[in-house]
Amino acid sequence: MSVLLSTPHSPPTPVAPVPASDERLRQVGRLRRLLSRPEFGALSGTALVFLLFGLGAGGSGMFSAEGIVNWGTVAGFLGILAVGAALLMIAGEFDLSIGSMIGFAGMMLAIPCLYWGWPVWLAVLFAFATAMALGGLNGWLVVKTGLPSFIVTLAFYFILRGLSLAISVLLTGKTIVSSNGDAVLHELIAADPLVQALFQGHVLTGLFNALARLGLLAARDDGAALAIGVPKVMVWWAALTAGGAFVLARMRVGNWILAVGGDANAAKNVGIPVARVKVLLFVFMAFCATVFAVLQVADAGSAAADRGLQKEFEAIIAAVIGGCLLTGGFGSVIGAALGALIFGVVQIGIGYTSIDNNWYRVFLGGMLLAAVLFNNYIRRRVALGR
């Protein structure tokens, strides 16, 4: 029993209560928190890859401005797909029709421009609308039938690839479309100011040339920079990655995506529109595939029905390397971007070394296995409440 002592000249002094300790709370060190981050494995892998190629190809020009543009372009193309794949995997779903969607969207851009006389901007909108509608159909079938997305999108993998081949042969008589008479696809795209500004060429060309004149970058005979600038694909990659990361970390829909992937039934019971979230993510995946297709057509000046081969697997691998669990509910868009960066550095970097290019996929397979093992460890930690 507590007794408060006082004198006639001073009021009683209250005793401050001692807060009871909560055994449910514990201090977690910074290292443990870092290890629990979904992108930690991709960050470690990226550092290792840069270290290896820095030692093996540091003086070969791989890390010059033009070398960075080369492997950055490859990483950018895959990174665009990895953003959509990562968000979809975090929600517990897959899309195996990504590669076929790329070829299909490219043909939906090229055929209207060259054979129907459409303006390029309208053909681009048509490609986006068609692909996103098919992506929505993918998601709707997954939600309504309850079938695994693996099965539904595998079916669309064959359907879209077949449609691309059949429509292109039926309307053009060929599977690679680049020109029709005097109309050349690359020139048509360059003549459209809106499409050219969004999907073709480079940015910061003036800055690169200024740096070349100062002797900070390699220059051509005319004084212009050897590296033309930053390709538009890298700008799209950065913008989509930043947007996806912001949505996942700062917006309510990001919490919805994580909840849907963690437990769809529990998410539905607390009022989250599970079906709408999944359908919209399939639509966004189709949007990313179409961005890839339009950038590729604008860069190559042609469309082919067989474009995008195996890109669905590369996008999923990049997302897994980036920390996305195959079971959903955990992952990182930033990590997926790092996974795509690893792809680009390895694929192009091997050409700067004396290593046989055939080792490229062996290295990627090893990276995938290491990522899956690490992610399995993270999954167990999450299941145990860390």
Side-chain angles (χ1 to χ4, degrees):
M1 180 175 179
S2 300
V3 178
L4 297 179
L5 301 178
S6 62
T7 64
H9 303 286
S10 62
T13 303
V15 177
V18 178
S21 61
D22 192 340
E23 67 276 5
R24 297 172 300 176
L25 302 178
R26 63 174 178 174
Q27 294 293 328
V28 179
R30 292 183 180 180
L31 179 60
R32 293 179 65 87
R33 289 201 301 268
L34 179 62
L35 289 172
S36 299
R37 294 291 304 172
E39 61 272 5
F40 176 77
L43 184 61
S44 303
T46 303
L48 177 61
V49 166
F50 273 96
L51 176 62
L52 292 176
F53 281 98
L55 295 174
S60 63
M62 178 179 173
F63 295 100
S64 64
E66 54 272 19
I68 293 173
V69 167
N70 286 338
W71 49 258
T73 299
V74 174
F77 272 110
L78 181 58
I80 289 171
L81 300 179
V83 173
L87 291 174
L88 200 55
M89 287 180 63
I90 293 170
E93 303 293 349
F94 293 91
D95 190 348
L96 297 182
S97 66
I98 299 171
S100 298
M101 187 72 76
I102 292 170
F104 179 79
M107 298 305 292
M108 292 302 99
L109 165 60
I111 291 175
C113 285
L114 295 174
Y115 291 88
W116 300 348
W118 289 18
V120 177
W121 66 267
L122 183 59
V124 169
L125 288 179
F126 176 70
F128 273 102
T130 306
M132 292 170 70
L134 290 171
L137 179 59
N138 254 341
W140 182 83
L141 287 173
V142 169
V143 170
K144 291 299 180 181
T145 63
L147 292 172
S149 55
F150 176 88
I151 299 299
V152 174
T153 58
L154 182 62
F156 267 83
Y157 168 87
F158 291 105
I159 291 171
L160 290 175
R161 188 66 74 188
L163 278 176
S164 300
L165 291 167
I167 291 175
S168 62
V169 171
L170 178 65
L171 297 179
T172 70
K174 49 190 176 182
T175 59
I176 300 178
V177 178
S178 60
S179 62
N180 181 29
D182 295 332
V184 179
L185 185 57
H186 194 277
E187 295 177 357
L188 291 175
I189 294 174
D192 189 299
L194 178 61
V195 177
Q196 195 274 336
L198 290 175
F199 298 102
Q200 193 177 56
H202 300 72
V203 299
L204 301 180
T205 300
L207 175 62
F208 275 53
N209 290 335
L211 294 175
R213 287 192 293 269
L214 294 173
L216 299 177
L217 293 179
R220 305 173 189 270
D221 294 337
D222 59 359
L226 189 60
I228 301 174
V230 179
K232 296 283 176 66
V233 61
M234 295 179 68
V235 178
W236 274 99
W237 176 32
L240 288 174
T241 299
F246 179 81
V247 167
L248 197 62
R250 299 295 182 182
M251 295 185 66
R252 180 173 59 179
V253 68
N255 292 330
W256 289 357
I257 293 171
L258 290 164
V260 168
D263 190 330
N265 290 328
K268 186 176 182 180
N269 290 337
V270 298
I272 294 175
V274 174
R276 191 192 317 165
V277 169
K278 290 189 176 184
V279 171
L280 287 177
L281 287 176
F282 276 101
V283 172
F284 180 69
M285 185 70 257
F287 172 83
C288 292
T290 309
V291 171
F292 182 110
V294 176
L295 286 165
Q296 192 176 60
V297 170
D299 179 60
S302 64
D306 61 349
R307 290 261 173 89
L309 189 64
Q310 295 186 347
K311 289 302 178 184
E312 58 277 345
F313 300 110
E314 292 182 4
I316 291 173
I317 291 172
V320 171
I321 292 175
C324 295
L325 293 181
L326 298 175
T327 52
F330 190 79
S332 167
V333 173
I334 300 295
L338 292 174
L341 181 61
I342 291 174
F343 265 78
V345 172
V346 174
Q347 183 174 344
I348 301 300
I350 284 182
Y352 286 92
T353 67
S354 58
I355 303 174
D356 188 347
N357 285 336
N358 293 324
W359 289 99
Y360 161 65
R361 297 195 180 279
V362 175
F363 182 86
L364 289 182
M367 286 293 300
L368 174 62
L369 180 60
V372 170
L373 292 174
F374 182 79
N375 289 350
N376 188 51
Y377 165 76
I378 293 297
R379 179 182 62 81
R380 291 198 304 267
R381 286 176 55 83
V382 172
L384 293 174
R386 287 188 274 186

